[in-house]
């Protein structure tokens, strides 16, 4: 079974600074997807970024980028130029590429952006 | 704007009551999911469905059942609510395979007293 570990329950960052959230996972699969989701205080889960494991290039979405290290089974999220609106719970998630299997989530990291 | 709609944002029920949580999506997604979210435990899968009348148990199905009579609607049923089922319940949907990610509802915070 796949597991996802987020080792930082809480983090904080000053506005306009850069922060990196860690995620590691355990799988015997060679092809899979990895995701970062954001859950602000409104509770609405929002997809931040998605990475396909067979792609070497790290995914980027505006101020959000990932550092995907397949051999190390690591998938960290970097938020540049942090904004107050980035304050949220962030969840890392894993999905096998084959079949129709559900997302497996980590326990989350609570990020606070401080003015 | 595509949506997953959960019928209640907050719900308070008594121990022993039968509770229905409803979820409707308008994206013609094959897959629908029910997750439970608790502080420090992340999101845990209760049940999912990949087609009408089809269901699969997730990691924590005990005390729950589901119904999917129409493609757009997926109901979570607590047969006899207990206080340890007080939690946030999140519904999600996706196309078959799920590689594009899930669309989530805004959650139902259920309190069982």
């Amino acid at each position: 079974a796949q597991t996802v570990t987020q080792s930082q329950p809480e983090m904080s960052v000053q506005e306009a600074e850069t922060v990196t959230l860690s995620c590691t996972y355990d799988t015997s699969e060679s092809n899979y997807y990895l995701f970062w989701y954001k859950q602000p205080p409104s509770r609405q889960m929002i997809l931040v970024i998605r990475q396909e494991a067979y792609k070497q290039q790290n995914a980027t979405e505006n101020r959000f980028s990932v550092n995907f290290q397949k051999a190390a089974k690591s998938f960290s999220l970097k938020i540049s130029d942090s904004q107050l609106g980035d304050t949220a719970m962030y969840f890392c998630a894993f999905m096998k590429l084959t079949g129709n299997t559900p997302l497996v989530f980590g326990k989350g990291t609570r990020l606070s952006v401080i003015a | 704007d595509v949506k997953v709609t959960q019928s209640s944002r907050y719900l308070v029920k008594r121990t022993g009551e039968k509770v229905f949580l409803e979820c409707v999506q308008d994206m013609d997604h094959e897959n629908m999911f029910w997750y439970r979210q608790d502080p420090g435990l992340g999101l845990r899968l209760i049940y999912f469905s990949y087609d009408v009348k089809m269901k699969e148990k997730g990691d924590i199905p005990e005390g729950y059942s589901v119904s999917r009579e129409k493609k757009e609607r997926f109901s979570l049923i607590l047969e006899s609510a207990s206080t340890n089922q007080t939690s946030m319940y999140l519904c999600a949907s996706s196309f078959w395979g799920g590689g594009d990610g899930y669309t989530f509802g805004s959650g139902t915070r259920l309190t069982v007293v």
Side-chain angles (χ1 to χ4, degrees), chain B residues 36-102:
Chain B
R36 172 176 170 160
Q37 182 180 2
D38 298 289
L41 296 178
L43 278 72
R44 294 178 293 166
L45 182 66
I46 305 172
Y47 269 98
F48 72 100
S49 169
Y50 54 89
D51 200 353
V52 174
K53 297 190 185 295
M54 304 304 290
K55 61 184 179 184
E56 294 282 344
K57 291 181 179 179
D59 300 316
I60 52 164
E62 296 79 18
Y64 304 94
S65 62
V66 290
S67 173
R68 192 167 182 202
E69 297 295 320
K70 293 184 178 181
K71 188 176 185 180
E72 66 270 19
R73 185 180 296 269
F74 192 35
S75 303
L76 180 68
I77 304 155
L78 286 67
E79 296 290 343
S80 177
S82 63
T83 55
N84 63 14
Q85 293 177 310
T86 291
S87 187
M88 172 77 77
Y89 291 88
L90 290 171
C91 177
S93 69
S94 78
F95 287 115
W96 199 97
D100 292 333
Y102 294 1

Side-chain angles (χ1 to χ4, degrees), chain A residues 25-42:
Chain A
Y25 56 94
D26 187 24
T27 184
S28 58
E29 301 286 325
S30 56
N31 290 314
Y32 45 86
Y33 297 106
L34 294 161
F35 301 85
W36 278 99
Y37 278 87
K38 169 185 176 181
Q39 186 183 43
S42 66

Side-chain angles (χ1 to χ4, degrees), chain B residues 1-29:
Chain B
D1 196 18
V2 293
K3 271 190 177 176
V4 174
T5 303
Q6 294 184 231
S7 54
S8 303
R9 191 160 174 83
Y10 296 96
L11 211 51
V12 180
K13 294 293 182 180
R14 294 197 178 278
T15 301
E17 276 194 78
K18 190 169 185 176
V19 181
F20 293 85
L21 302 184
E22 306 286 347
C23 177
V24 177
Q25 52 98 1
D26 64 1
M27 293 162 286
D28 202 34
H29 283 167

Side-chain angles (χ1 to χ4, degrees), chain A residues 18-25 32 34-36 48-53 55-61 63-80 92:
Chain A
T18 295
V19 64
T20 299
L21 281 58
S22 300
C23 173
T24 58
Y25 56 94
Y32 45 86
L34 294 161
F35 301 85
W36 278 99
V48 175
I49 203 163
R50 169 182 172 274
Q51 176 80 42
E52 295 152 332
K55 289 188 176 178
Q56 301 275 355
Q57 189 171 2
N58 288 326
T60 300
E61 288 287 341
R63 297 182 295 108
F64 298 87
S65 61
V66 297
N67 183 7
F68 173 49
Q69 301 288 328
K70 191 172 183 179
K73 296 181 183 176
S74 171
F75 183 61
S76 60
L77 175 70
K78 186 172 84 171
I79 306 174
S80 304
C92 180

